[in-house]
Amino acid sequence: MDETAATGRPLALDPTAASADAELPAFLAPPANAPVYHGFPVIDGVEVDGWRLGMITDFLAMPTTIGDGYIIAPDGGRAGLVWTAEHDDVVVHQVLAPEPGRWGVWEVALPLPLTSVDEARAYLAALVPLLRPHWAAWRAAG
């Protein structure tokens, strides 16, 4: 087995997030009425036109070109991201359909790096126009 394939990526955890069980991290035991992705941080300083980026894979602690995260729309609606950075093509593909509390999970790939807060802001700026129509459709249906 290839050792690099077996190596996990670190999770980004929000140390200030409340947990419903003191023995478990907040993302495993979210309080009642917590939004999806509770327990994972929103990246400070990464906001574009009211849109914010949340981190599940901690690409700041361990740079990588693939990971998981989430996006928060200006109205607070959230969607999951399965992202790829430094990809040759732009990709936006629905992985999971919208449901109450989440406007889907999206596979996204952009030809941009994603290893710092500044790069995260640029990645988000490129991502918002691609995902805004999907969020708007979810809102209109809702």
Side-chain angles (χ1 to χ4, degrees), residues 12-142:
L13 300 178
D14 180 352
T16 65
S19 177
D21 182 336
E23 307 261 330
L24 295 173
F27 77 94
L28 290 177
N33 301 316
V36 295
Y37 308 111
H38 175 81
F40 296 108
V42 176
I43 307 168
D44 287 334
V46 178
E47 184 171 332
V48 174
D49 297 332
W51 294 76
R52 296 177 295 155
L53 188 63
M55 210 174 13
I56 296 173
T57 301
D58 193 342
F59 62 84
L60 296 174
M62 186 172 120
T64 183
T65 57
I66 59 172
D68 297 295
Y70 60 101
I71 189 168
I72 305 171
D75 69 349
R78 295 176 176 214
L81 301 174
V82 180
W83 57 263
T84 301
E86 301 178 32
H87 195 269
D88 292 338
D89 300 312
V90 173
V91 174
V92 176
H93 173 76
Q94 186 175 334
V95 175
L96 290 174
E99 58 189 26
R102 180 172 67 186
W103 47 280
V105 174
W106 299 89
E107 174 190 8
V108 297
L110 293 171
L112 298 170
L114 188 55
T115 62
S116 70
V117 170
D118 288 339
E119 290 173 355
R121 193 175 308 105
Y123 198 94
L124 178 62
L127 196 56
V128 166
L130 301 172
L131 289 178
R132 182 181 282 128
H134 301 291
W135 162 74
W138 174 75
R139 250 184 102 178

